[in-house]
Amino acid sequence: MSCAEPAFAGSVAPLPTFGRSAAGRSGRLLTRGVELNIVRSAVLVIIVGGLVALSGCSPSSEAASPVSPSPAPSAEAPASEEPVATPSAAPLDPGDMSTWVAGSAGIGAIERGASWGAVEAQLAGMAVETMCSGAVYFTADASATVYVGLEQDGDTIRQVWAAGDATDAKSPATAAGISLGATLADLQAAYPGIVESVIPYPSDTTAYAVADADGSWLVFSLRDDVVTQIGATASQFPPKELCG
């Protein structure tokens, strides 16, 4: 705020002029006293007014030091999350089943709930055999045999199983690295706390299952403590048979 310098001299309004009184000297002295009082009052008013003007022109400490706005609290960056792996949309490669990932939702691109007709169309060159109206299977050289159980409509995939042993070099594997031919020790190391599912058949076979959040199961069937089947199914038990 800028202010003009207050003028003490020359800014006083002309004093009123009183005429000479016929009362003589005493009257003149009285007049002179009145004039002096008026002058003192006028000067006092000017001084006080000047001080007030100066105080009004001087910037206050608050005006001279503008208050900086407080910084808005910054939201804490959300903790980074692990990326979720999504299934590849690439067509199946029947010649290399070792690239197939087995999980509770399916094995490779053979997913539970999908249309078998659509999946079969991707299996060019694979010999698909029909077991019954509710089950088919296929295989390839040095690869696991894949069994597909179908719903009553004969097309919707109900469950998927890969069967074989360690001699099947091209075997699907789980995200934890368990493939056909893995040992029970391998399975328990990959899935700590996994519990055996008691099955009445056959006596030399045991099963272990891992539940998914949606109620699906990734099931391992073992014979002599070696994984011989990996299945994606709605039950924690391997099926006794796919037909019937």
Side-chain angles (χ1 to χ4, degrees):
M1 171 181 180
S2 61
C3 296
E5 190 72 16
F8 291 98
S11 62
V12 181
L15 296 177
T17 303
F18 294 90
R20 294 175 178 267
S21 173
R25 181 179 179 83
S26 60
R28 287 194 297 273
L29 290 176
L30 179 60
T31 302
R32 177 67 63 178
V34 172
E35 291 175 350
L36 290 175
N37 288 335
I38 293 175
V39 171
R40 292 191 190 99
S41 300
V43 172
L44 180 61
V45 169
I46 292 172
I47 292 173
V48 172
L51 293 175
V52 171
L54 284 176
S55 64
C57 294
S58 301
S60 64
S61 59
E62 294 181 357
S65 303
V67 179
S68 300
S70 300
S74 59
E76 185 178 354
S80 60
E81 298 180 356
E82 290 293 332
V84 178
T86 55
S88 172
L92 288 173
D93 181 4
D96 189 3
M97 291 188 187
S98 64
T99 63
W100 297 10
V101 177
S104 61
I107 298 177
I110 309 175
E111 298 184 352
R112 297 178 56 241
S115 166
W116 165 245
V119 172
E120 184 180 14
Q122 302 179 55
L123 303 176
M126 296 292 293
V128 178
E129 300 291 340
T130 300
M131 298 174 61
C132 58
S133 61
V136 296
Y137 73 94
F138 60 90
T139 189
D141 292 339
S143 300
T145 300
V146 178
Y147 296 86
V148 181
L150 305 175
E151 298 285 3
Q152 292 183 354
D153 61 7
D155 183 66
T156 304
I157 298 174
R158 178 166 51 91
Q159 55 184 321
V160 187
W161 290 87
D165 53 34
T167 61
D168 297 321
K170 296 180 180 180
S171 164
T174 69
I178 299 299
S179 60
L180 297 173
T183 65
L184 176 59
D186 295 333
L187 183 62
Q188 292 172 330
Y191 300 96
I194 192 171
V195 179
E196 179 182 358
S197 300
V198 179
I199 55 176
Y201 52 85
S203 58
D204 60 346
T205 301
T206 57
Y208 292 80
V210 178
D212 201 353
D214 64 355
S216 300
W217 293 86
L218 176 61
V219 184
F220 303 91
S221 179
L222 290 78
R223 178 170 294 179
D224 297 330
D225 291 342
V226 175
V227 176
T228 57
Q229 294 180 4
I230 301 175
T233 179
S235 171
Q236 68 185 97
F237 306 105
K240 188 174 183 179
E241 59 181 33
L242 292 176
C243 296

